[in-house]
Amino acid sequence: MNFRAAGIFRATAMEASKLVLRRAFARSASSAKRRVVILGANGGIGQPLSLLMKLSPLVSDLGLYDIVGTPGVAADVSHVNSRAQVAGFAGEENLGKCLKDADLVIIPAGVPRKPGMDRDDLFNVNAGIVQTLCTAVAKNCPKALVNIISNPVNSTVPIAAEVFKKSGTYDPNRLFGVTTLDVVRARTFLASAKKLNPSEVDLPVIGGHAGATILPLFSQASPKVSLSTKELDALTKRTQDGGTEVVKAKAGKGSATLSMAYAGALFAEACLKGLNGVNNVIECTYVESSVVPGLSFFSSKVRLGKEGVDEILELGSLSDYEQKGLEAMKDELKKSIEKGRKFVQSGGGGGGGKKKKK
């Protein structure tokens, strides 16, 4: 064998070895036992989300909770021939049983948006629901990662944080607002505008999860694209108003449930990969953060790990257009954060437990 052939052989052997190791690690990660609980599993988001999590090879045990109807949802998805064992729990008296030993809790519970409503209109009902459910999480599975989908996320995540603080269980690395749908929309809309494959498009979306607080960073898109100011305005506006677009299209009969379930499942799987030790899992999510001075919660790129948040990444270079958008959102986002905090600090709500369908 000549030297060149020997070098090629060694390189090929090394690549083969790396591939074997990657596959072995993937099998190990998917074989880890992980219990996932969905609170609000009988709702418009909860049902498709339950199916998607049942399909995930990363889930070994799936607990489904709602006020009513959950045993039926559990029976239905349990017939899917995938790994996860499923159990349904109905009624507040069974909430603690459902949460026991959870590694990840996903909360889509709450009332949906209707035409003419913005996310803030949901506050009075959904704030109480999130407070009640997070109180149960603090009592029954205080070490679980918690993914908040219930709107308005800009306020409900601070509500959850205050509940956990009161119980002495708060760990900012374990609490997440799910903003993945904004990222999914931005990728899809950009791909459509530029005739790209949506699965090959990536870009971060920062800020919050409502209206002008949603800021897609098209300047950081991959692959790199050139956009006129008119195109930027249109794509940014459509991303910010994606939820309203769906509410109008459904003519008062629903909100963004299917796409939200998809985005919720994507982020849940990212959290599970982090818990299982997969390296360099990076997603945008709304967490306690100091990346933007004056805003104690903010959505940006986060590296996920075995304890939840491993690292909050810097925003990177922003275009002038994006910098203006960042400045414009600050007051609204700050007010939403404070509204959530004050709700708990003033002893607000407490109830809201009768409306968990979404």
Side-chain angles (χ1 to χ4, degrees):
M1 182 183 294
N2 62 39
F3 289 114
R4 183 173 180 274
I8 292 172
F9 176 80
R10 282 195 297 272
T12 304
M14 287 176 65
E15 289 303 314
S17 176
K18 289 178 182 177
L19 179 60
V20 169
L21 288 171
R22 284 198 297 269
R23 287 177 174 172
F25 185 83
R27 285 194 297 270
S28 169
S30 63
S31 65
K33 290 186 177 181
R34 293 297 178 190
R35 176 168 172 78
V36 174
V37 169
I38 299 174
L39 305 181
N42 191 36
I45 295 171
Q47 288 200 31
L49 179 58
S50 298
L51 174 60
L52 291 170
M53 297 317 296
K54 174 67 170 80
L55 290 169
S56 173
L58 302 180
V59 180
S60 60
D61 191 7
L62 183 61
L64 306 179
Y65 171 81
D66 215 316
I67 291 299
V68 296
T70 343
V73 177
D76 197 355
V77 300
S78 72
H79 294 180
V80 174
N81 60 325
S82 61
R83 176 191 181 203
Q85 298 297 305
V86 186
F89 300 81
E92 293 183 25
E93 68 277 11
N94 290 312
L95 177 55
K97 295 177 186 176
C98 185
L99 288 167
K100 184 175 172 56
D101 298 323
D103 295 294
L104 172 65
V105 178
I106 311 171
I107 306 181
V111 297
R113 288 179 65 194
K114 297 176 182 178
M117 293 176 68
D118 61 26
R119 287 178 173 83
D120 211 45
D121 293 326
L122 305 176
F123 182 89
N124 289 334
V125 174
N126 288 357
I129 291 173
V130 170
Q131 182 181 28
T132 297
L133 295 177
C134 287
T135 299
V137 170
K139 182 178 179 180
N140 294 283
C141 53
K143 296 295 185 181
L145 302 191
V146 179
N147 292 357
I148 304 287
I149 292 175
S150 307
N151 278 316
V153 166
N154 291 357
S155 297
T156 53
V157 174
I159 285 173
E162 292 302 315
V163 170
F164 295 146
K165 286 175 185 177
K166 278 195 169 186
S167 69
T169 64
Y170 182 51
D171 181 348
N173 294 331
R174 295 178 179 271
L175 176 62
F176 305 88
V178 180
T179 59
T180 313
L181 182 52
D182 301 323
V183 178
V184 167
R185 284 172 172 155
R187 290 171 177 168
T188 301
F189 301 157
L190 179 61
S192 177
K194 291 298 181 179
K195 305 294 190 292
L196 301 169
N197 182 342
S199 66
E200 296 175 357
V201 174
D202 191 20
L203 71 138
V205 179
I206 65 169
H209 185 56
T213 69
I214 300 169
L215 183 60
L217 302 184
F218 291 110
S219 71
Q220 297 182 20
S222 175
K224 197 77 174 174
V225 294
S226 177
L227 296 170
S228 67
T229 301
K230 184 178 180 181
E231 288 175 316
L232 267 176
D233 283 338
L235 286 168
T236 300
K237 184 68 173 170
R238 192 179 179 198
T239 303
Q240 292 172 338
D241 292 343
T244 302
E245 180 180 317
V246 176
V247 169
K248 287 180 178 178
K250 289 188 175 181
K253 296 182 179 179
S255 57
T257 53
L258 301 176
S259 55
M260 184 63 247
Y262 167 73
L266 284 180
F267 186 69
E269 282 214 332
C271 288
L272 292 172
K273 288 176 183 176
L275 285 175
N276 291 347
V278 176
N279 291 324
N280 212 35
V281 179
I282 296 174
E283 295 289 339
C284 289
T285 178
Y286 184 69
V287 294
E288 183 174 310
S289 171
S290 59
V291 72
V292 176
L295 295 175
S296 52
F297 287 88
F298 196 80
S299 183
S300 61
K301 282 186 176 182
V302 168
R303 180 176 286 107
L304 302 168
K306 292 183 178 181
E307 302 296 327
V309 174
D310 189 50
E311 181 185 6
I312 298 174
L313 306 182
E314 294 298 322
L315 298 184
S317 178
L318 304 187
S319 68
D320 290 343
Y321 183 95
E322 292 158 355
Q323 191 62 50
K324 289 177 183 176
L326 176 58
E327 293 302 318
M329 78 165 72
K330 286 182 178 179
D331 285 347
E332 180 183 340
L333 187 51
K334 188 172 184 178
K335 288 176 183 176
S336 296
I337 293 167
E338 287 306 309
K339 186 173 184 178
R341 280 182 171 150
K342 288 178 181 177
F343 178 81
V344 178
Q345 291 171 353
S346 64
K354 293 185 179 180
K355 294 184 181 179
K356 290 197 174 61
K357 292 184 181 180
K358 193 160 184 174

